[in-house]
Amino acid sequence: MDTASGRHTTKHHFALPPPKTELYNVRTGLPQLSEKAILEHARVLSEDIGFRTVGTREHALGDKYVHEQALRIQKECEDVVKKAPTRKLECEVWRQEGSGTHRFDMMGKPVFKVYENLSNIIIRISDGTPAGKAHALLLNAHVDSTVPSPGAADDALSVGILFEIARNLVHTPGWEPAHSIVFLFNNAEESLQDGSHLFATQHPLANLVRAVINLEAAGNTGPEILFQATSEEMIQAYAQVPYPYATVLANDVFKSGIILSDTDFRQFEEYRNLTGLDMAVVGDSYFYHTRKDLVKNIQPGVAQHFSENVMAIVKHLTSPLGATQVLPSLARQVTPPTSIYFSVVGKYFFLYSAQTAWRVLLVVLLATASLLAGTTGPDLRRTIWKATGGVLSSLLGAALGAGVTASIMAKILEAGMSWFSKETSCFVLYGPPALAGALAAQYFLVARSPPTEIAQFEYATLFGIHLVNVFAAIILQFFQLGSSSIFTLFSLGSLFALILNTFLNALGNPSRRREPDWTIIHLATYAVAQVVPLVVGSEMAVGLLGIFVPLTGRMGEVAPVEHIIAIMTAVLGFLISATTVLPFSHRVRRSVLLLTVLVVSLFSAITMLIYAYGSRPFDAMHQKRIFVLHFEDITQQEHHLHLAAADGAPGFPELVQGVATKFSTIYHQPVPVMMDDNNADWDIIYPFSQFLTPYKIPLPKPYNYASPFADTFTVTAVHDVFNYRSNTRSLTLLIDHPGIIWTAIAFDAHILEWSLSSPPLEGYQRYHFKEASFYGTTQWKLDLVLSVSPRHPERSKLQIDFMGIIEKGSWPSKKLDKHPAGPGIQLLEKLDEHLFKSTDDSVDAMLLSCVGGQVIV
């Protein structure tokens, strides 16, 4: 990847358009998308207002700001129409408010959501006619941010993009939409997609939406990526963007569930059966869901790139000169996606059908068969098949070499995740052992072969790599995985190189008195063969490692992240370099090849020691995430400090011990806690809590402290009736939570019926309920009918674990609040300062004051 071609690919992979600052083009006077205006919206939301966690005062202020901006767009729209009365343009604004329930499955765990009085802000821009309003394109962004983050990129950036697109359309002279555009500013995504559920299930405009474009962010640099496209029509729409960055590989990876993440797109698919595009900024996701998700950390050009791409799709689908029949056709039928698509260096977008893919593969197969038949004899063909097995052995050897190195780093040297702060470190650390493993496989292949075969191995190995590419493309295409396009491209490149080599060998034998030596490989052949792996492989490596390396910081201690990154690096490195390295290794004597393996292995050992003892996985720009709860148990009158990490890097137990030494007493030592469904300590972030490695530190109760929540945060049963004939118990659970947000309850029961919109689970189960409501909401309820067995009378009672976040008790989101609540926030402030100093700002901590307990009803 350090060649000129690799550097060119990497540079253009991250290339972004220059940011525009003016609202209007100085030459034409026409409106233009302004990154400055977009980021100003993001700045107000993330910095002036701050952490917009659902249920907080800041969340309500975010709702107010977005509503005011929507009304401003509407006013500007009305003024424009007054100046041009013949222009068909209408802007409507709604502030939707509602309550609801839904089931949200995540990580294989069912979570049952209840939300009260949540809001969405909606703008519809249309030509004002019934026909123009009959079909709509939905643009979605969420206003809220998650608990430890001000959410500048996620997702205030997208909110700003929607406002800027709306302003641009309204102020474009003569522009009239053929179909309406609905801008949805949903106000509760981070609480498990309650806002989009509210719109999809309760707003009348949802019935008119034919397609959705969802705007998200899990990073703050680089081009936004198209990672979900659910119909042929919408893929065709995406083909209109000026700066494509899309690959069906991303779609395959996201659909596989490897990346445990989700977006509002899910609600539109599940409840409205809508097709669309899911687009997100994902580069440098180290700041994702941290307090450093700030405007200053968003790379210049990101907003420009994202907004101009979305605008191109919007105009294509809704303007009179665009594809005006696409949206109406989606009301009748959606064509499932089977096309192959990918972009190259952020400029060129390729799209072709599955039928075309099979035709291309057929041509490649026929050409390959022709080469085998026309330029090789039986002996060489046997060598080619043997060399093909050698290629696969080298791939296995590369993975094995990297995997063994990963085991040494993680288990013996105890230096896991030493590559975390820089993605390219993965190649420095795991590239050499992968290379040694791949070359070792070739050495053993040569060692067991006669001299006649050895002389043919260079050409046979190049041909074997080509065959592996062809068969991989066929297998993936057979299973309808668009990732087959990668190996199709690789096979076309290697096929062209083989044909070129054949032509060069024929040119070198002008007399034709004897059969040319087809096994000679020319340097020009290597140069041609390496073009596709460098361009495509480098872009793929940059993209995948850019996503997966930061992701390892939140995959949990038990996830084998060292081996995941090591093997991914080995495979990517193999795809990029094998075309040259493996065949060329047969130009040297066997002793030289063995020496090369030993030298590379020695270099790998030195590299391991350097990374183990000279590298820190975390720094101020690539922080370790820890999760801290100050928990006040109002039923046991106890206080605890809970700390947890979401990665397996070494050093966390020592960090916890340092915290315990400073903030607890000599009699209260940290206790490691088993994390499972019955551990209610972290239910406010269930089921993500399953990833955590938690510790619990008992705290002395503050002197002369009386909890203000002991009598107000309650779980009680009303309308409680036992029916001994049917062996059932009917009741209503009332959860009162003034001053408490994100309440969660969990209990074991056999539920027959309830007031939720989805059916209960079968039999006796553990249930997790989570609430998210608008600021000031103080109660929610749950109607239940339980099965009560005479053989298990203890099950007639519910043992309920309950907890919530003190609305005024989070740090640093309430840093400027003049009336913080509870003793926890003072401790969290001091703990934050301690972590900053003791770790050199290499830790980002979620710091929450919580309250809860256990009650039997």
Side-chain angles (χ1 to χ4, degrees), residues 604-642:
S604 176
I606 295 171
T607 305
M608 279 193 288
L609 292 174
I610 292 173
Y611 272 87
Y613 298 106
S615 176
R616 294 174 55 196
F618 307 107
D619 58 37
M621 300 301 287
H622 310 84
Q623 295 175 299
K624 178 184 182 70
R625 297 161 188 257
I626 70 169
F627 304 83
V628 181
L629 304 182
H630 177 277
F631 184 71
E632 178 186 345
D633 189 328
I634 55 177
T635 57
Q636 298 295 323
Q637 303 297 309
E638 295 177 348
H639 292 243
H640 295 93
L641 190 64
H642 298 267

mmCIF file of all heavy atoms in Angstrom, residues 604-642:
data_model
loop_
_atom_site.group_PDB
_atom_site.id
_atom_site.type_symbol
_atom_site.label_atom_id
_atom_site.label_comp_id
_atom_site.label_asym_id
_atom_site.label_seq_id
_atom_site.Cartn_x
_atom_site.Cartn_y
_atom_site.Cartn_z
ATOM 1 N N SER A 604 9.339 -9.547 12.377
ATOM 2 C CA SER A 604 8.043 -9.596 13.060
ATOM 3 C C SER A 604 8.225 -9.662 14.569
ATOM 4 O O SER A 604 7.502 -9.000 15.324
ATOM 5 C CB SER A 604 7.249 -10.807 12.566
ATOM 6 O OG SER A 604 6.032 -10.929 13.271
ATOM 7 N N ALA A 605 9.196 -10.452 15.024
ATOM 8 C CA ALA A 605 9.447 -10.565 16.464
ATOM 9 C C ALA A 605 9.885 -9.222 17.042
ATOM 10 O O ALA A 605 9.437 -8.825 18.132
ATOM 11 C CB ALA A 605 10.505 -11.629 16.726
ATOM 12 N N ILE A 606 10.763 -8.520 16.332
ATOM 13 C CA ILE A 606 11.210 -7.201 16.790
ATOM 14 C C ILE A 606 10.035 -6.230 16.832
ATOM 15 O O ILE A 606 9.873 -5.457 17.790
ATOM 16 C CB ILE A 606 12.330 -6.674 15.868
ATOM 17 C CG1 ILE A 606 13.571 -7.566 15.981
ATOM 18 C CG2 ILE A 606 12.669 -5.225 16.211
ATOM 19 C CD1 ILE A 606 14.645 -7.248 14.957
ATOM 20 N N THR A 607 9.192 -6.289 15.806
ATOM 21 C CA THR A 607 8.023 -5.409 15.757
ATOM 22 C C THR A 607 7.084 -5.681 16.930
ATOM 23 O O THR A 607 6.537 -4.748 17.533
ATOM 24 C CB THR A 607 7.275 -5.598 14.431
ATOM 25 O OG1 THR A 607 8.169 -5.385 13.344
ATOM 26 C CG2 THR A 607 6.113 -4.638 14.315
ATOM 27 N N MET A 608 6.905 -6.946 17.266
ATOM 28 C CA MET A 608 6.052 -7.293 18.408
ATOM 29 C C MET A 608 6.582 -6.669 19.695
ATOM 30 O O MET A 608 5.812 -6.119 20.501
ATOM 31 C CB MET A 608 5.967 -8.812 18.559
ATOM 32 C CG MET A 608 4.983 -9.476 17.629
ATOM 33 S SD MET A 608 4.663 -11.195 18.103
ATOM 34 C CE MET A 608 6.192 -11.961 17.633
ATOM 35 N N LEU A 609 7.878 -6.760 19.899
ATOM 36 C CA LEU A 609 8.458 -6.198 21.116
ATOM 37 C C LEU A 609 8.314 -4.680 21.148
ATOM 38 O O LEU A 609 8.028 -4.094 22.200
ATOM 39 C CB LEU A 609 9.935 -6.588 21.198
ATOM 40 C CG LEU A 609 10.218 -8.078 21.437
ATOM 41 C CD1 LEU A 609 11.714 -8.353 21.362
ATOM 42 C CD2 LEU A 609 9.646 -8.541 22.772
ATOM 43 N N ILE A 610 8.502 -4.045 19.989
ATOM 44 C CA ILE A 610 8.352 -2.588 19.921
ATOM 45 C C ILE A 610 6.925 -2.176 20.282
ATOM 46 O O ILE A 610 6.708 -1.254 21.079
ATOM 47 C CB ILE A 610 8.733 -2.072 18.525
ATOM 48 C CG1 ILE A 610 10.239 -2.241 18.291
ATOM 49 C CG2 ILE A 610 8.328 -0.613 18.355
ATOM 50 C CD1 ILE A 610 10.677 -1.925 16.881
ATOM 51 N N TYR A 611 5.943 -2.893 19.716
ATOM 52 C CA TYR A 611 4.550 -2.547 20.002
ATOM 53 C C TYR A 611 4.149 -2.928 21.422
ATOM 54 O O TYR A 611 3.327 -2.242 22.042
ATOM 55 C CB TYR A 611 3.618 -3.221 18.984
ATOM 56 C CG TYR A 611 3.413 -2.404 17.741
ATOM 57 C CD1 TYR A 611 4.295 -2.510 16.664
ATOM 58 C CD2 TYR A 611 2.367 -1.499 17.635
ATOM 59 C CE1 TYR A 611 4.127 -1.747 15.527
ATOM 60 C CE2 TYR A 611 2.192 -0.726 16.502
ATOM 61 C CZ TYR A 611 3.077 -0.854 15.451
ATOM 62 O OH TYR A 611 2.912 -0.079 14.328
ATOM 63 N N ALA A 612 4.727 -4.011 21.924
ATOM 64 C CA ALA A 612 4.356 -4.457 23.268
ATOM 65 C C ALA A 612 4.879 -3.508 24.344
ATOM 66 O O ALA A 612 4.188 -3.234 25.331
ATOM 67 C CB ALA A 612 4.877 -5.866 23.507
ATOM 68 N N TYR A 613 6.087 -2.988 24.153
ATOM 69 C CA TYR A 613 6.716 -2.195 25.211
ATOM 70 C C TYR A 613 6.890 -0.717 24.856
ATOM 71 O O TYR A 613 7.263 0.080 25.718
ATOM 72 C CB TYR A 613 8.076 -2.798 25.567
ATOM 73 C CG TYR A 613 7.962 -4.194 26.110
ATOM 74 C CD1 TYR A 613 8.334 -5.291 25.331
ATOM 75 C CD2 TYR A 613 7.459 -4.427 27.381
ATOM 76 C CE1 TYR A 613 8.217 -6.585 25.816
ATOM 77 C CE2 TYR A 613 7.327 -5.719 27.877
ATOM 78 C CZ TYR A 613 7.713 -6.799 27.089
ATOM 79 O OH TYR A 613 7.580 -8.071 27.575
ATOM 80 N N GLY A 614 6.606 -0.366 23.618
ATOM 81 C CA GLY A 614 6.808 1.029 23.225
ATOM 82 C C GLY A 614 5.591 1.713 22.657
ATOM 83 O O GLY A 614 5.684 2.829 22.150
ATOM 84 N N SER A 615 4.437 1.054 22.740
ATOM 85 C CA SER A 615 3.239 1.629 22.136
ATOM 86 C C SER A 615 2.088 1.593 23.132
ATOM 87 O O SER A 615 1.892 0.594 23.832
ATOM 88 C CB SER A 615 2.861 0.847 20.867
ATOM 89 O OG SER A 615 1.655 1.333 20.326
ATOM 90 N N ARG A 616 1.339 2.682 23.181
ATOM 91 C CA ARG A 616 0.140 2.751 24.008
ATOM 92 C C ARG A 616 -1.078 2.671 23.103
ATOM 93 O O ARG A 616 -1.153 3.390 22.103
ATOM 94 C CB ARG A 616 0.094 4.057 24.797
ATOM 95 C CG ARG A 616 1.196 4.206 25.836
ATOM 96 C CD ARG A 616 1.157 5.591 26.448
ATOM 97 N NE ARG A 616 -0.164 5.892 27.006
ATOM 98 C CZ ARG A 616 -0.562 7.120 27.329
ATOM 99 N NH1 ARG A 616 0.236 8.145 27.121
ATOM 100 N NH2 ARG A 616 -1.764 7.306 27.831
ATOM 101 N N PRO A 617 -2.047 1.816 23.429
ATOM 102 C CA PRO A 617 -3.214 1.697 22.544
ATOM 103 C C PRO A 617 -4.098 2.940 22.530
ATOM 104 O O PRO A 617 -4.769 3.217 21.544
ATOM 105 C CB PRO A 617 -3.969 0.497 23.110
ATOM 106 C CG PRO A 617 -3.500 0.361 24.518
ATOM 107 C CD PRO A 617 -2.092 0.858 24.538
ATOM 108 N N PHE A 618 -4.090 3.720 23.615
ATOM 109 C CA PHE A 618 -5.019 4.842 23.735
ATOM 110 C C PHE A 618 -4.263 6.155 23.927
ATOM 111 O O PHE A 618 -3.198 6.201 24.547
ATOM 112 C CB PHE A 618 -5.968 4.625 24.913
ATOM 113 C CG PHE A 618 -6.687 3.300 24.881
ATOM 114 C CD1 PHE A 618 -6.348 2.287 25.759
ATOM 115 C CD2 PHE A 618 -7.680 3.060 23.938
ATOM 116 C CE1 PHE A 618 -6.989 1.057 25.721
ATOM 117 C CE2 PHE A 618 -8.326 1.840 23.891
ATOM 118 C CZ PHE A 618 -7.980 0.835 24.781
ATOM 119 N N ASP A 619 -4.848 7.211 23.372
ATOM 120 C CA ASP A 619 -4.339 8.562 23.594
ATOM 121 C C ASP A 619 -5.513 9.524 23.555
ATOM 122 O O ASP A 619 -6.670 9.104 23.480
ATOM 123 C CB ASP A 619 -3.245 8.930 22.581
ATOM 124 C CG ASP A 619 -3.726 8.834 21.136
ATOM 125 O OD1 ASP A 619 -4.903 9.170 20.860
ATOM 126 O OD2 ASP A 619 -2.937 8.419 20.269
ATOM 127 N N ALA A 620 -5.226 10.815 23.581
ATOM 128 C CA ALA A 620 -6.292 11.810 23.683
ATOM 129 C C ALA A 620 -7.218 11.816 22.477
ATOM 130 O O ALA A 620 -8.378 12.240 22.587
ATOM 131 C CB ALA A 620 -5.685 13.199 23.883
ATOM 132 N N MET A 621 -6.732 11.375 21.318
ATOM 133 C CA MET A 621 -7.552 11.366 20.118
ATOM 134 C C MET A 621 -8.112 9.979 19.811
ATOM 135 O O MET A 621 -8.900 9.813 18.880
ATOM 136 C CB MET A 621 -6.741 11.869 18.927
ATOM 137 C CG MET A 621 -6.207 13.286 19.091
ATOM 138 S SD MET A 621 -7.521 14.505 19.338
ATOM 139 C CE MET A 621 -8.218 14.574 17.684
ATOM 140 N N HIS A 622 -7.686 8.991 20.565
ATOM 141 C CA HIS A 622 -8.149 7.607 20.375
ATOM 142 C C HIS A 622 -8.358 7.023 21.771
ATOM 143 O O HIS A 622 -7.540 6.251 22.265
ATOM 144 C CB HIS A 622 -7.138 6.789 19.583
ATOM 145 C CG HIS A 622 -6.673 7.451 18.319
ATOM 146 N ND1 HIS A 622 -5.647 8.365 18.306
ATOM 147 C CD2 HIS A 622 -7.120 7.330 17.047
ATOM 148 C CE1 HIS A 622 -5.466 8.785 17.071
ATOM 149 N NE2 HIS A 622 -6.346 8.186 16.284
ATOM 150 N N GLN A 623 -9.464 7.383 22.389
ATOM 151 C CA GLN A 623 -9.633 7.141 23.816
ATOM 152 C C GLN A 623 -10.244 5.783 24.122
ATOM 153 O O GLN A 623 -10.990 5.208 23.332
ATOM 154 C CB GLN A 623 -10.525 8.237 24.407
ATOM 155 C CG GLN A 623 -9.913 9.630 24.353
ATOM 156 C CD GLN A 623 -10.886 10.688 24.827
ATOM 157 O OE1 GLN A 623 -11.954 10.863 24.248
ATOM 158 N NE2 GLN A 623 -10.524 11.406 25.878
ATOM 159 N N LYS A 624 -9.893 5.309 25.303
ATOM 160 C CA LYS A 624 -10.541 4.129 25.847
ATOM 161 C C LYS A 624 -11.892 4.557 26.415
ATOM 162 O O LYS A 624 -11.995 5.596 27.077
ATOM 163 C CB LYS A 624 -9.691 3.519 26.964
ATOM 164 C CG LYS A 624 -10.311 2.285 27.634
ATOM 165 C CD LYS A 624 -9.430 1.825 28.788
ATOM 166 C CE LYS A 624 -9.983 0.564 29.450
ATOM 167 N NZ LYS A 624 -9.857 -0.633 28.584
ATOM 168 N N ARG A 625 -12.910 3.785 26.174
ATOM 169 C CA ARG A 625 -14.240 4.101 26.695
ATOM 170 C C ARG A 625 -14.465 3.353 27.999
ATOM 171 O O ARG A 625 -14.319 2.130 28.043
ATOM 172 C CB ARG A 625 -15.321 3.702 25.695
ATOM 173 C CG ARG A 625 -15.254 4.457 24.373
ATOM 174 C CD ARG A 625 -16.010 3.702 23.303
ATOM 175 N NE ARG A 625 -15.792 4.322 22.003
ATOM 176 C CZ ARG A 625 -16.672 5.093 21.375
ATOM 177 N NH1 ARG A 625 -17.850 5.326 21.935
ATOM 178 N NH2 ARG A 625 -16.402 5.620 20.210
ATOM 179 N N ILE A 626 -14.813 4.091 29.036
ATOM 180 C CA ILE A 626 -15.250 3.433 30.256
ATOM 181 C C ILE A 626 -16.616 4.000 30.640
ATOM 182 O O ILE A 626 -17.001 5.097 30.222
ATOM 183 C CB ILE A 626 -14.240 3.576 31.410
ATOM 184 C CG1 ILE A 626 -14.179 5.011 31.918
ATOM 185 C CG2 ILE A 626 -12.867 3.082 31.011
ATOM 186 C CD1 ILE A 626 -13.407 5.129 33.221
ATOM 187 N N PHE A 627 -17.318 3.232 31.416
ATOM 188 C CA PHE A 627 -18.697 3.554 31.775
ATOM 189 C C PHE A 627 -18.790 3.566 33.296
ATOM 190 O O PHE A 627 -18.392 2.607 33.960
ATOM 191 C CB PHE A 627 -19.650 2.533 31.170
ATOM 192 C CG PHE A 627 -19.512 2.419 29.675
ATOM 193 C CD1 PHE A 627 -18.515 1.615 29.116
ATOM 194 C CD2 PHE A 627 -20.340 3.132 28.829
ATOM 195 C CE1 PHE A 627 -18.363 1.523 27.738
ATOM 196 C CE2 PHE A 627 -20.190 3.050 27.455
ATOM 197 C CZ PHE A 627 -19.199 2.247 26.913
ATOM 198 N N VAL A 628 -19.289 4.685 33.815
ATOM 199 C CA VAL A 628 -19.301 4.886 35.273
ATOM 200 C C VAL A 628 -20.708 5.256 35.718
ATOM 201 O O VAL A 628 -21.323 6.183 35.171
ATOM 202 C CB VAL A 628 -18.312 5.990 35.687
ATOM 203 C CG1 VAL A 628 -18.325 6.156 37.205
ATOM 204 C CG2 VAL A 628 -16.905 5.679 35.187
ATOM 205 N N LEU A 629 -21.195 4.538 36.700
ATOM 206 C CA LEU A 629 -22.484 4.860 37.321
ATOM 207 C C LEU A 629 -22.278 5.085 38.819
ATOM 208 O O LEU A 629 -21.685 4.232 39.498
ATOM 209 C CB LEU A 629 -23.498 3.720 37.145
ATOM 210 C CG LEU A 629 -23.836 3.225 35.736
ATOM 211 C CD1 LEU A 629 -24.890 2.137 35.832
ATOM 212 C CD2 LEU A 629 -24.320 4.370 34.865
ATOM 213 N N HIS A 630 -22.734 6.209 39.288
ATOM 214 C CA HIS A 630 -22.903 6.361 40.734
ATOM 215 C C HIS A 630 -24.332 5.923 41.025
ATOM 216 O O HIS A 630 -25.292 6.555 40.575
ATOM 217 C CB HIS A 630 -22.689 7.804 41.177
ATOM 218 C CG HIS A 630 -22.917 8.003 42.645
ATOM 219 N ND1 HIS A 630 -24.185 8.186 43.183
ATOM 220 C CD2 HIS A 630 -22.050 8.039 43.687
ATOM 221 C CE1 HIS A 630 -24.083 8.323 44.481
ATOM 222 N NE2 HIS A 630 -22.798 8.243 44.823
ATOM 223 N N PHE A 631 -24.465 4.820 41.749
ATOM 224 C CA PHE A 631 -25.795 4.229 41.934
ATOM 225 C C PHE A 631 -26.230 4.352 43.390
ATOM 226 O O PHE A 631 -25.516 3.932 44.310
ATOM 227 C CB PHE A 631 -25.792 2.765 41.529
ATOM 228 C CG PHE A 631 -27.153 2.130 41.599
ATOM 229 C CD1 PHE A 631 -28.139 2.464 40.674
ATOM 230 C CD2 PHE A 631 -27.459 1.204 42.577
ATOM 231 C CE1 PHE A 631 -29.398 1.881 40.727
ATOM 232 C CE2 PHE A 631 -28.714 0.617 42.646
ATOM 233 C CZ PHE A 631 -29.690 0.958 41.715
ATOM 234 N N GLU A 632 -27.423 4.922 43.548
ATOM 235 C CA GLU A 632 -28.034 5.056 44.870
ATOM 236 C C GLU A 632 -29.190 4.074 44.968
ATOM 237 O O GLU A 632 -30.198 4.210 44.258
ATOM 238 C CB GLU A 632 -28.524 6.490 45.069
ATOM 239 C CG GLU A 632 -29.208 6.725 46.387
ATOM 240 C CD GLU A 632 -29.808 8.122 46.481
ATOM 241 O OE1 GLU A 632 -29.449 8.987 45.665
ATOM 242 O OE2 GLU A 632 -30.664 8.324 47.378
ATOM 243 N N ASP A 633 -29.020 3.056 45.786
ATOM 244 C CA ASP A 633 -30.070 2.052 45.988
ATOM 245 C C ASP A 633 -31.012 2.561 47.075
ATOM 246 O O ASP A 633 -30.678 2.556 48.263
ATOM 247 C CB ASP A 633 -29.441 0.719 46.392
ATOM 248 C CG ASP A 633 -30.456 -0.412 46.409
ATOM 249 O OD1 ASP A 633 -31.644 -0.155 46.716
ATOM 250 O OD2 ASP A 633 -30.068 -1.560 46.118
ATOM 251 N N ILE A 634 -32.201 3.008 46.644
ATOM 252 C CA ILE A 634 -33.114 3.639 47.608
ATOM 253 C C ILE A 634 -33.904 2.615 48.414
ATOM 254 O O ILE A 634 -34.578 2.986 49.385
ATOM 255 C CB ILE A 634 -34.091 4.601 46.896
ATOM 256 C CG1 ILE A 634 -34.862 3.879 45.782
ATOM 257 C CG2 ILE A 634 -33.356 5.806 46.351
ATOM 258 C CD1 ILE A 634 -35.895 4.747 45.094
ATOM 259 N N THR A 635 -33.811 1.325 48.035
ATOM 260 C CA THR A 635 -34.501 0.304 48.833
ATOM 261 C C THR A 635 -33.570 -0.308 49.876
ATOM 262 O O THR A 635 -34.023 -0.743 50.934
ATOM 263 C CB THR A 635 -35.069 -0.803 47.923
ATOM 264 O OG1 THR A 635 -34.007 -1.375 47.138
ATOM 265 C CG2 THR A 635 -36.130 -0.254 46.998
ATOM 266 N N GLN A 636 -32.265 -0.350 49.598
ATOM 267 C CA GLN A 636 -31.299 -0.892 50.554
ATOM 268 C C GLN A 636 -30.509 0.199 51.274
ATOM 269 O O GLN A 636 -29.676 -0.121 52.136
ATOM 270 C CB GLN A 636 -30.311 -1.818 49.822
ATOM 271 C CG GLN A 636 -30.945 -3.029 49.174
ATOM 272 C CD GLN A 636 -31.540 -3.978 50.197
ATOM 273 O OE1 GLN A 636 -30.993 -4.181 51.281
ATOM 274 N NE2 GLN A 636 -32.691 -4.561 49.859
ATOM 275 N N GLN A 637 -30.741 1.468 50.878
ATOM 276 C CA GLN A 637 -30.017 2.594 51.483
ATOM 277 C C GLN A 637 -28.504 2.429 51.333
ATOM 278 O O GLN A 637 -27.727 2.642 52.271
ATOM 279 C CB GLN A 637 -30.382 2.719 52.973
ATOM 280 C CG GLN A 637 -31.859 2.882 53.257
ATOM 281 C CD GLN A 637 -32.413 4.178 52.651
ATOM 282 O OE1 GLN A 637 -31.860 5.247 52.853
ATOM 283 N NE2 GLN A 637 -33.491 4.060 51.923
ATOM 284 N N GLU A 638 -28.096 2.041 50.120
ATOM 285 C CA GLU A 638 -26.678 1.838 49.836
ATOM 286 C C GLU A 638 -26.246 2.682 48.640
ATOM 287 O O GLU A 638 -27.074 3.049 47.793
ATOM 288 C CB GLU A 638 -26.394 0.359 49.539
ATOM 289 C CG GLU A 638 -26.621 -0.568 50.712
ATOM 290 C CD GLU A 638 -26.404 -2.022 50.349
ATOM 291 O OE1 GLU A 638 -26.296 -2.327 49.128
ATOM 292 O OE2 GLU A 638 -26.356 -2.858 51.269
ATOM 293 N N HIS A 639 -24.949 2.970 48.587
ATOM 294 C CA HIS A 639 -24.372 3.701 47.461
ATOM 295 C C HIS A 639 -23.221 2.887 46.886
ATOM 296 O O HIS A 639 -22.408 2.334 47.646
ATOM 297 C CB HIS A 639 -23.864 5.075 47.909
ATOM 298 C CG HIS A 639 -24.953 6.015 48.295
ATOM 299 N ND1 HIS A 639 -25.215 7.194 47.638
ATOM 300 C CD2 HIS A 639 -25.886 5.952 49.297
ATOM 301 C CE1 HIS A 639 -26.234 7.812 48.209
ATOM 302 N NE2 HIS A 639 -26.654 7.079 49.229
ATOM 303 N N HIS A 640 -23.159 2.830 45.568
ATOM 304 C CA HIS A 640 -22.088 2.095 44.907
ATOM 305 C C HIS A 640 -21.563 2.903 43.726
ATOM 306 O O HIS A 640 -22.285 3.719 43.134
ATOM 307 C CB HIS A 640 -22.571 0.732 44.397
ATOM 308 C CG HIS A 640 -22.968 -0.219 45.473
ATOM 309 N ND1 HIS A 640 -24.272 -0.332 45.918
ATOM 310 C CD2 HIS A 640 -22.242 -1.089 46.209
ATOM 311 C CE1 HIS A 640 -24.331 -1.244 46.877
ATOM 312 N NE2 HIS A 640 -23.109 -1.727 47.069
ATOM 313 N N LEU A 641 -20.327 2.632 43.382
ATOM 314 C CA LEU A 641 -19.742 3.167 42.161
ATOM 315 C C LEU A 641 -19.489 1.982 41.231
ATOM 316 O O LEU A 641 -18.772 1.043 41.599
ATOM 317 C CB LEU A 641 -18.437 3.903 42.458
ATOM 318 C CG LEU A 641 -17.836 4.719 41.318
ATOM 319 C CD1 LEU A 641 -18.769 5.866 40.920
ATOM 320 C CD2 LEU A 641 -16.466 5.273 41.715
ATOM 321 N N HIS A 642 -20.103 2.021 40.071
ATOM 322 C CA HIS A 642 -19.941 0.947 39.084
ATOM 323 C C HIS A 642 -19.039 1.455 37.960
ATOM 324 O O HIS A 642 -19.282 2.529 37.400
ATOM 325 C CB HIS A 642 -21.290 0.535 38.505
ATOM 326 C CG HIS A 642 -22.238 -0.015 39.523
ATOM 327 N ND1 HIS A 642 -22.345 -1.359 39.802
ATOM 328 C CD2 HIS A 642 -23.127 0.606 40.348
ATOM 329 C CE1 HIS A 642 -23.253 -1.548 40.742
ATOM 330 N NE2 HIS A 642 -23.748 -0.369 41.091
#
